[in-house]
Amino acid sequence: MTQDTSTYYVWIGGSCDYGHKERAGGAAVVIEHNGNIISRDAISDLHTTEFRMMLTLMVKVMQEIPEGSDILFLTNAAYIQNFDKTPTAKSANRTSSESKDASSLAISAESRGRKARANSDLIIQCIEEKKRHNSVGVKIVQYHKSPLLIETHDRATEAMAKTRKEFHQKNNRLSVSSEIVASVSMPPCAQEGEDGTENSSHLSR
């Protein structure tokens, strides 16, 4: 792909693990400008999707890149093509968990538009941030032919796994603390002696 030296090329990918109860999601970007990689970033959260994380990161990128710039997001996720389409009352209630590679986009433009507007709050933010720039677009690229796109997916997966691990570690610490508090608050176990008196375990014999 021939790059224009003035354009910010933002490789963006996401990852989500629907097999876990807390369903962590993540997204990552690698930003190229004037032929050089100038920035890398990754975010993640619980109880979300990769698409919501990708839109969140798009907002962040547009906020951080200098005003009046030309920005092109490069991805294999067709979902975010309609990041700048105004949500409607009908489309705002829709949800989607669908990601397509550029080689298998067998989904109609109308259907893509409806699904892409599911995260209406973030899309509204994208629309507002886009106004700050000269141009902002999305280009679908082939995943396996794009090393930087593969990197974004790997980094998104790592961020997602880290968030899930920290979540479980925190829960385990809270669980252990609760067990300690419960055991301390309970009276010592009393045992009956041979003479019928009670010998508490904390008394010296």
Side-chain angles (χ1 to χ4, degrees), residues 1 10 14 23 29-30 33-34 40 47 50 55 67 73 82 108 127 130 132 143 145 156 160 163 169 171 176 178 194:
M1 182 181 67
V10 185
R23 197 180 65 178
V29 292
V30 176
H33 185 246
N34 197 22
R40 287 179 167 89
H47 308 295
E50 70 268 39
L55 289 170
E67 188 172 351
F73 289 95
N82 294 286
S108 70
I127 292 171
K130 181 181 177 181
R132 297 178 57 251
Y143 177 79
K145 294 183 179 180
M160 179 184 70
T163 296
Q169 287 177 338
N171 278 358
V176 170
S178 298
E194 294 180 357

PDB file of all heavy atoms in Angstrom, residues 1 10 14 23 29-30 33-34 40 47 50 55 67 73 82 108 127 130 132 143 145 156 160 163 169 171 176 178 194:
ATOM      1  N   MET A   1       0.837  -1.193   0.000  1.00  0.00           N
ATOM      2  CA  MET A   1       0.000   0.000   0.000  1.00  0.00           C
ATOM      3  C   MET A   1       0.881   1.255   0.000  1.00  0.00           C
ATOM      4  O   MET A   1       1.770   1.404   0.834  1.00  0.00           O
ATOM      5  CB  MET A   1      -0.900   0.019   1.246  1.00  0.00           C
ATOM      6  CG  MET A   1      -1.842   1.216   1.293  1.00  0.00           C
ATOM      7  SD  MET A   1      -2.848   1.227   2.786  1.00  0.00           S
ATOM      8  CE  MET A   1      -1.608   1.527   4.036  1.00  0.00           C
ATOM      9  N   VAL A  10      -3.748   4.421  10.865  1.00  0.00           N
ATOM     10  CA  VAL A  10      -4.012   3.830  12.181  1.00  0.00           C
ATOM     11  C   VAL A  10      -4.485   2.395  12.002  1.00  0.00           C
ATOM     12  O   VAL A  10      -5.632   2.141  11.628  1.00  0.00           O
ATOM     13  CB  VAL A  10      -5.074   4.641  12.960  1.00  0.00           C
ATOM     14  CG1 VAL A  10      -5.239   4.069  14.373  1.00  0.00           C
ATOM     15  CG2 VAL A  10      -4.685   6.118  13.030  1.00  0.00           C
ATOM     16  N   GLY A  14      -9.232  -5.697  17.289  1.00  0.00           N
ATOM     17  CA  GLY A  14      -9.865  -5.966  18.576  1.00  0.00           C
ATOM     18  C   GLY A  14      -9.911  -7.452  18.884  1.00  0.00           C
ATOM     19  O   GLY A  14      -9.655  -8.292  18.025  1.00  0.00           O
ATOM     20  N   ARG A  23     -16.550 -11.798  30.212  1.00  0.00           N
ATOM     21  CA  ARG A  23     -16.461 -11.366  28.810  1.00  0.00           C
ATOM     22  C   ARG A  23     -15.627 -10.106  28.630  1.00  0.00           C
ATOM     23  O   ARG A  23     -16.131  -9.024  28.323  1.00  0.00           O
ATOM     24  CB  ARG A  23     -17.858 -11.138  28.223  1.00  0.00           C
ATOM     25  CG  ARG A  23     -17.858 -11.096  26.694  1.00  0.00           C
ATOM     26  CD  ARG A  23     -19.215 -10.876  26.120  1.00  0.00           C
ATOM     27  NE  ARG A  23     -19.760  -9.572  26.461  1.00  0.00           N
ATOM     28  CZ  ARG A  23     -20.934  -9.117  26.037  1.00  0.00           C
ATOM     29  NH1 ARG A  23     -21.690  -9.875  25.268  1.00  0.00           N
ATOM     30  NH2 ARG A  23     -21.356  -7.931  26.382  1.00  0.00           N
ATOM     31  N   VAL A  29      -4.046  -0.230  18.734  1.00  0.00           N
ATOM     32  CA  VAL A  29      -3.699   0.487  17.516  1.00  0.00           C
ATOM     33  C   VAL A  29      -2.188   0.587  17.369  1.00  0.00           C
ATOM     34  O   VAL A  29      -1.449   0.594  18.356  1.00  0.00           O
ATOM     35  CB  VAL A  29      -4.287   1.928  17.482  1.00  0.00           C
ATOM     36  CG1 VAL A  29      -5.791   1.902  17.373  1.00  0.00           C
ATOM     37  CG2 VAL A  29      -3.824   2.730  18.688  1.00  0.00           C
ATOM     38  N   VAL A  30      -1.757   0.652  16.126  1.00  0.00           N
ATOM     39  CA  VAL A  30      -0.386   1.029  15.773  1.00  0.00           C
ATOM     40  C   VAL A  30      -0.533   2.179  14.787  1.00  0.00           C
ATOM     41  O   VAL A  30      -1.204   2.042  13.759  1.00  0.00           O
ATOM     42  CB  VAL A  30       0.399  -0.131  15.132  1.00  0.00           C
ATOM     43  CG1 VAL A  30       1.785   0.349  14.697  1.00  0.00           C
ATOM     44  CG2 VAL A  30       0.512  -1.304  16.091  1.00  0.00           C
ATOM     45  N   HIS A  33       3.003   7.466  10.629  1.00  0.00           N
ATOM     46  CA  HIS A  33       2.944   8.807  10.046  1.00  0.00           C
ATOM     47  C   HIS A  33       4.282   9.121   9.404  1.00  0.00           C
ATOM     48  O   HIS A  33       5.336   8.921  10.014  1.00  0.00           O
ATOM     49  CB  HIS A  33       2.610   9.855  11.118  1.00  0.00           C
ATOM     50  CG  HIS A  33       2.420  11.228  10.561  1.00  0.00           C
ATOM     51  ND1 HIS A  33       3.271  12.280  10.850  1.00  0.00           N
ATOM     52  CD2 HIS A  33       1.484  11.726   9.720  1.00  0.00           C
ATOM     53  CE1 HIS A  33       2.854  13.364  10.225  1.00  0.00           C
ATOM     54  NE2 HIS A  33       1.768  13.054   9.528  1.00  0.00           N
ATOM     55  N   ASN A  34       4.236   9.585   8.178  1.00  0.00           N
ATOM     56  CA  ASN A  34       5.443   9.941   7.440  1.00  0.00           C
ATOM     57  C   ASN A  34       6.427   8.765   7.370  1.00  0.00           C
ATOM     58  O   ASN A  34       7.647   8.940   7.473  1.00  0.00           O
ATOM     59  CB  ASN A  34       6.112  11.163   8.070  1.00  0.00           C
ATOM     60  CG  ASN A  34       7.120  11.821   7.143  1.00  0.00           C
ATOM     61  OD1 ASN A  34       7.064  11.645   5.923  1.00  0.00           O
ATOM     62  ND2 ASN A  34       8.053  12.565   7.715  1.00  0.00           N
ATOM     63  N   ARG A  40       1.833   3.390  19.779  1.00  0.00           N
ATOM     64  CA  ARG A  40       1.096   2.146  19.985  1.00  0.00           C
ATOM     65  C   ARG A  40       0.237   2.324  21.221  1.00  0.00           C
ATOM     66  O   ARG A  40       0.641   2.969  22.189  1.00  0.00           O
ATOM     67  CB  ARG A  40       2.044   0.962  20.179  1.00  0.00           C
ATOM     68  CG  ARG A  40       2.763   0.498  18.919  1.00  0.00           C
ATOM     69  CD  ARG A  40       3.699  -0.661  19.231  1.00  0.00           C
ATOM     70  NE  ARG A  40       4.188  -1.333  18.044  1.00  0.00           N
ATOM     71  CZ  ARG A  40       5.289  -0.985  17.398  1.00  0.00           C
ATOM     72  NH1 ARG A  40       6.019   0.055  17.846  1.00  0.00           N
ATOM     73  NH2 ARG A  40       5.681  -1.641  16.324  1.00  0.00           N
ATOM     74  N   HIS A  47     -17.033  -7.087  30.563  1.00  0.00           N
ATOM     75  CA  HIS A  47     -18.448  -7.037  30.185  1.00  0.00           C
ATOM     76  C   HIS A  47     -18.663  -6.134  28.968  1.00  0.00           C
ATOM     77  O   HIS A  47     -19.518  -5.249  28.977  1.00  0.00           O
ATOM     78  CB  HIS A  47     -19.291  -6.561  31.368  1.00  0.00           C
ATOM     79  CG  HIS A  47     -19.053  -7.323  32.626  1.00  0.00           C
ATOM     80  ND1 HIS A  47     -19.358  -8.661  32.770  1.00  0.00           N
ATOM     81  CD2 HIS A  47     -18.490  -6.948  33.799  1.00  0.00           C
ATOM     82  CE1 HIS A  47     -19.020  -9.059  33.979  1.00  0.00           C
ATOM     83  NE2 HIS A  47     -18.486  -8.055  34.614  1.00  0.00           N
ATOM     84  N   GLU A  50     -15.294  -6.441  21.524  1.00  0.00           N
ATOM     85  CA  GLU A  50     -14.159  -5.846  20.827  1.00  0.00           C
ATOM     86  C   GLU A  50     -14.580  -4.637  20.019  1.00  0.00           C
ATOM     87  O   GLU A  50     -13.816  -3.679  19.859  1.00  0.00           O
ATOM     88  CB  GLU A  50     -13.479  -6.876  19.914  1.00  0.00           C
ATOM     89  CG  GLU A  50     -14.269  -7.300  18.698  1.00  0.00           C
ATOM     90  CD  GLU A  50     -15.114  -8.536  18.940  1.00  0.00           C
ATOM     91  OE1 GLU A  50     -15.697  -8.681  20.044  1.00  0.00           O
ATOM     92  OE2 GLU A  50     -15.209  -9.370  18.026  1.00  0.00           O
ATOM     93  N   LEU A  55     -14.256   1.202  18.924  1.00  0.00           N
ATOM     94  CA  LEU A  55     -14.846   2.533  18.772  1.00  0.00           C
ATOM     95  C   LEU A  55     -14.315   3.484  19.842  1.00  0.00           C
ATOM     96  O   LEU A  55     -14.042   4.657  19.564  1.00  0.00           O
ATOM     97  CB  LEU A  55     -16.371   2.446  18.849  1.00  0.00           C
ATOM     98  CG  LEU A  55     -17.065   1.791  17.654  1.00  0.00           C
ATOM     99  CD1 LEU A  55     -18.540   1.546  17.959  1.00  0.00           C
ATOM    100  CD2 LEU A  55     -16.926   2.652  16.396  1.00  0.00           C
ATOM    101  N   GLU A  67      -5.343  18.443  15.342  1.00  0.00           N
ATOM    102  CA  GLU A  67      -6.546  18.897  14.641  1.00  0.00           C
ATOM    103  C   GLU A  67      -6.226  19.216  13.177  1.00  0.00           C
ATOM    104  O   GLU A  67      -5.154  19.693  12.843  1.00  0.00           O
ATOM    105  CB  GLU A  67      -7.099  20.141  15.340  1.00  0.00           C
ATOM    106  CG  GLU A  67      -8.441  20.600  14.836  1.00  0.00           C
ATOM    107  CD  GLU A  67      -9.036  21.708  15.692  1.00  0.00           C
ATOM    108  OE1 GLU A  67      -8.479  21.984  16.760  1.00  0.00           O
ATOM    109  OE2 GLU A  67     -10.060  22.281  15.271  1.00  0.00           O
ATOM    110  N   PHE A  73      -8.116   4.708   9.202  1.00  0.00           N
ATOM    111  CA  PHE A  73      -8.095   3.513  10.043  1.00  0.00           C
ATOM    112  C   PHE A  73      -8.043   2.279   9.146  1.00  0.00           C
ATOM    113  O   PHE A  73      -8.844   2.150   8.215  1.00  0.00           O
ATOM    114  CB  PHE A  73      -9.332   3.459  10.935  1.00  0.00           C
ATOM    115  CG  PHE A  73      -9.339   4.481  12.032  1.00  0.00           C
ATOM    116  CD1 PHE A  73      -9.977   5.701  11.862  1.00  0.00           C
ATOM    117  CD2 PHE A  73      -8.701   4.228  13.244  1.00  0.00           C
ATOM    118  CE1 PHE A  73      -9.983   6.651  12.871  1.00  0.00           C
ATOM    119  CE2 PHE A  73      -8.695   5.166  14.259  1.00  0.00           C
ATOM    120  CZ  PHE A  73      -9.338   6.392  14.081  1.00  0.00           C
ATOM    121  N   ASN A  82     -19.020   1.964   9.473  1.00  0.00           N
ATOM    122  CA  ASN A  82     -20.095   2.947   9.637  1.00  0.00           C
ATOM    123  C   ASN A  82     -19.968   3.702  10.961  1.00  0.00           C
ATOM    124  O   ASN A  82     -20.967   4.058  11.578  1.00  0.00           O
ATOM    125  CB  ASN A  82     -21.454   2.248   9.541  1.00  0.00           C
ATOM    126  CG  ASN A  82     -21.697   1.698   8.149  1.00  0.00           C
ATOM    127  OD1 ASN A  82     -21.977   2.437   7.213  1.00  0.00           O
ATOM    128  ND2 ASN A  82     -21.546   0.398   8.004  1.00  0.00           N
ATOM    129  N   SER A 108     -24.794  -7.224   3.564  1.00  0.00           N
ATOM    130  CA  SER A 108     -25.259  -6.091   2.769  1.00  0.00           C
ATOM    131  C   SER A 108     -24.904  -4.767   3.433  1.00  0.00           C
ATOM    132  O   SER A 108     -24.712  -4.692   4.636  1.00  0.00           O
ATOM    133  CB  SER A 108     -26.784  -6.167   2.601  1.00  0.00           C
ATOM    134  OG  SER A 108     -27.413  -5.910   3.839  1.00  0.00           O
ATOM    135  N   ILE A 127     -18.441  10.821  15.549  1.00  0.00           N
ATOM    136  CA  ILE A 127     -18.916  11.851  14.618  1.00  0.00           C
ATOM    137  C   ILE A 127     -18.417  13.226  15.036  1.00  0.00           C
ATOM    138  O   ILE A 127     -17.970  14.028  14.206  1.00  0.00           O
ATOM    139  CB  ILE A 127     -20.454  11.822  14.530  1.00  0.00           C
ATOM    140  CG1 ILE A 127     -20.919  10.530  13.843  1.00  0.00           C
ATOM    141  CG2 ILE A 127     -20.982  13.040  13.780  1.00  0.00           C
ATOM    142  CD1 ILE A 127     -22.413  10.300  13.911  1.00  0.00           C
ATOM    143  N   LYS A 130     -14.601  13.481  14.511  1.00  0.00           N
ATOM    144  CA  LYS A 130     -14.269  13.538  13.080  1.00  0.00           C
ATOM    145  C   LYS A 130     -14.319  14.978  12.563  1.00  0.00           C
ATOM    146  O   LYS A 130     -13.543  15.352  11.669  1.00  0.00           O
ATOM    147  CB  LYS A 130     -15.237  12.662  12.285  1.00  0.00           C
ATOM    148  CG  LYS A 130     -14.956  12.654  10.783  1.00  0.00           C
ATOM    149  CD  LYS A 130     -15.957  11.796  10.026  1.00  0.00           C
ATOM    150  CE  LYS A 130     -15.695  11.870   8.522  1.00  0.00           C
ATOM    151  NZ  LYS A 130     -16.665  11.072   7.739  1.00  0.00           N
ATOM    152  N   ARG A 132     -13.204  17.536  13.807  1.00  0.00           N
ATOM    153  CA  ARG A 132     -11.975  18.265  14.114  1.00  0.00           C
ATOM    154  C   ARG A 132     -10.920  18.085  13.019  1.00  0.00           C
ATOM    155  O   ARG A 132      -9.923  18.812  12.994  1.00  0.00           O
ATOM    156  CB  ARG A 132     -11.386  17.781  15.438  1.00  0.00           C
ATOM    157  CG  ARG A 132     -12.239  18.008  16.663  1.00  0.00           C
ATOM    158  CD  ARG A 132     -11.571  17.455  17.916  1.00  0.00           C
ATOM    159  NE  ARG A 132     -10.248  18.022  18.133  1.00  0.00           N
ATOM    160  CZ  ARG A 132      -9.098  17.356  17.975  1.00  0.00           C
ATOM    161  NH1 ARG A 132      -9.109  16.088  17.589  1.00  0.00           N
ATOM    162  NH2 ARG A 132      -7.936  17.942  18.187  1.00  0.00           N
ATOM    163  N   TYR A 143      -6.315  -9.466   6.739  1.00  0.00           N
ATOM    164  CA  TYR A 143      -5.640  -9.687   8.019  1.00  0.00           C
ATOM    165  C   TYR A 143      -4.285 -10.358   7.854  1.00  0.00           C
ATOM    166  O   TYR A 143      -3.264  -9.872   8.363  1.00  0.00           O
ATOM    167  CB  TYR A 143      -6.549 -10.536   8.913  1.00  0.00           C
ATOM    168  CG  TYR A 143      -5.944 -10.897  10.252  1.00  0.00           C
ATOM    169  CD1 TYR A 143      -5.914  -9.976  11.286  1.00  0.00           C
ATOM    170  CD2 TYR A 143      -5.402 -12.169  10.460  1.00  0.00           C
ATOM    171  CE1 TYR A 143      -5.355 -10.300  12.517  1.00  0.00           C
ATOM    172  CE2 TYR A 143      -4.853 -12.502  11.681  1.00  0.00           C
ATOM    173  CZ  TYR A 143      -4.837 -11.567  12.706  1.00  0.00           C
ATOM    174  OH  TYR A 143      -4.276 -11.899  13.912  1.00  0.00           O
ATOM    175  N   LYS A 145      -2.237 -10.556   5.499  1.00  0.00           N
ATOM    176  CA  LYS A 145      -1.237  -9.845   4.714  1.00  0.00           C
ATOM    177  C   LYS A 145      -0.815  -8.540   5.373  1.00  0.00           C
ATOM    178  O   LYS A 145      -0.106  -7.732   4.761  1.00  0.00           O
ATOM    179  CB  LYS A 145      -1.779  -9.564   3.305  1.00  0.00           C
ATOM    180  CG  LYS A 145      -2.013 -10.819   2.474  1.00  0.00           C
ATOM    181  CD  LYS A 145      -2.474 -10.463   1.070  1.00  0.00           C
ATOM    182  CE  LYS A 145      -2.675 -11.731   0.228  1.00  0.00           C
ATOM    183  NZ  LYS A 145      -3.122 -11.398  -1.155  1.00  0.00           N
ATOM    184  N   ALA A 156      -4.248  -6.512  21.606  1.00  0.00           N
ATOM    185  CA  ALA A 156      -5.599  -6.433  22.168  1.00  0.00           C
ATOM    186  C   ALA A 156      -5.894  -7.664  23.014  1.00  0.00           C
ATOM    187  O   ALA A 156      -6.486  -7.568  24.099  1.00  0.00           O
ATOM    188  CB  ALA A 156      -6.630  -6.287  21.059  1.00  0.00           C
ATOM    189  N   MET A 160      -6.601  -7.715  27.030  1.00  0.00           N
ATOM    190  CA  MET A 160      -7.823  -8.362  27.497  1.00  0.00           C
ATOM    191  C   MET A 160      -7.511  -9.419  28.548  1.00  0.00           C
ATOM    192  O   MET A 160      -8.161  -9.489  29.603  1.00  0.00           O
ATOM    193  CB  MET A 160      -8.533  -8.992  26.299  1.00  0.00           C
ATOM    194  CG  MET A 160      -9.817  -9.727  26.603  1.00  0.00           C
ATOM    195  SD  MET A 160     -10.443 -10.500  25.087  1.00  0.00           S
ATOM    196  CE  MET A 160      -9.230 -11.796  24.843  1.00  0.00           C
ATOM    197  N   THR A 163      -6.488  -7.778  31.870  1.00  0.00           N
ATOM    198  CA  THR A 163      -7.648  -7.248  32.589  1.00  0.00           C
ATOM    199  C   THR A 163      -8.405  -8.365  33.289  1.00  0.00           C
ATOM    200  O   THR A 163      -8.814  -8.231  34.440  1.00  0.00           O
ATOM    201  CB  THR A 163      -8.587  -6.511  31.615  1.00  0.00           C
ATOM    202  OG1 THR A 163      -7.907  -5.370  31.086  1.00  0.00           O
ATOM    203  CG2 THR A 163      -9.862  -6.053  32.318  1.00  0.00           C
ATOM    204  N   GLN A 169      -7.701 -11.976  40.251  1.00  0.00           N
ATOM    205  CA  GLN A 169      -6.794 -11.813  41.396  1.00  0.00           C
ATOM    206  C   GLN A 169      -7.439 -10.955  42.475  1.00  0.00           C
ATOM    207  O   GLN A 169      -7.337 -11.256  43.662  1.00  0.00           O
ATOM    208  CB  GLN A 169      -5.473 -11.186  40.938  1.00  0.00           C
ATOM    209  CG  GLN A 169      -4.579 -12.134  40.151  1.00  0.00           C
ATOM    210  CD  GLN A 169      -3.325 -11.459  39.651  1.00  0.00           C
ATOM    211  OE1 GLN A 169      -3.262 -10.231  39.511  1.00  0.00           O
ATOM    212  NE2 GLN A 169      -2.306 -12.249  39.366  1.00  0.00           N
ATOM    213  N   ASN A 171     -10.677 -10.529  42.970  1.00  0.00           N
ATOM    214  CA  ASN A 171     -11.773 -11.293  43.561  1.00  0.00           C
ATOM    215  C   ASN A 171     -11.260 -12.343  44.536  1.00  0.00           C
ATOM    216  O   ASN A 171     -11.861 -12.582  45.582  1.00  0.00           O
ATOM    217  CB  ASN A 171     -12.601 -11.974  42.467  1.00  0.00           C
ATOM    218  CG  ASN A 171     -13.605 -11.024  41.845  1.00  0.00           C
ATOM    219  OD1 ASN A 171     -13.715  -9.873  42.246  1.00  0.00           O
ATOM    220  ND2 ASN A 171     -14.328 -11.490  40.850  1.00  0.00           N
ATOM    221  N   VAL A 176     -10.425 -14.278  50.100  1.00  0.00           N
ATOM    222  CA  VAL A 176      -9.555 -14.698  51.209  1.00  0.00           C
ATOM    223  C   VAL A 176      -9.733 -13.782  52.400  1.00  0.00           C
ATOM    224  O   VAL A 176      -9.812 -14.240  53.547  1.00  0.00           O
ATOM    225  CB  VAL A 176      -8.078 -14.703  50.753  1.00  0.00           C
ATOM    226  CG1 VAL A 176      -7.158 -14.900  51.948  1.00  0.00           C
ATOM    227  CG2 VAL A 176      -7.844 -15.794  49.726  1.00  0.00           C
ATOM    228  N   SER A 178     -12.372 -12.084  53.243  1.00  0.00           N
ATOM    229  CA  SER A 178     -13.674 -12.360  53.863  1.00  0.00           C
ATOM    230  C   SER A 178     -13.606 -13.607  54.728  1.00  0.00           C
ATOM    231  O   SER A 178     -14.184 -13.663  55.816  1.00  0.00           O
ATOM    232  CB  SER A 178     -14.740 -12.536  52.779  1.00  0.00           C
ATOM    233  OG  SER A 178     -14.894 -11.360  52.027  1.00  0.00           O
ATOM    234  N   GLU A 194     -12.145 -34.886  80.052  1.00  0.00           N
ATOM    235  CA  GLU A 194     -12.566 -36.161  80.625  1.00  0.00           C
ATOM    236  C   GLU A 194     -13.439 -35.970  81.851  1.00  0.00           C
ATOM    237  O   GLU A 194     -14.285 -36.805  82.155  1.00  0.00           O
ATOM    238  CB  GLU A 194     -11.334 -36.994  80.989  1.00  0.00           C
ATOM    239  CG  GLU A 194     -10.534 -37.427  79.763  1.00  0.00           C
ATOM    240  CD  GLU A 194      -9.329 -38.251  80.160  1.00  0.00           C
ATOM    241  OE1 GLU A 194      -9.114 -38.425  81.373  1.00  0.00           O
ATOM    242  OE2 GLU A 194      -8.625 -38.728  79.253  1.00  0.00           O
TER     243      GLU A 194
END
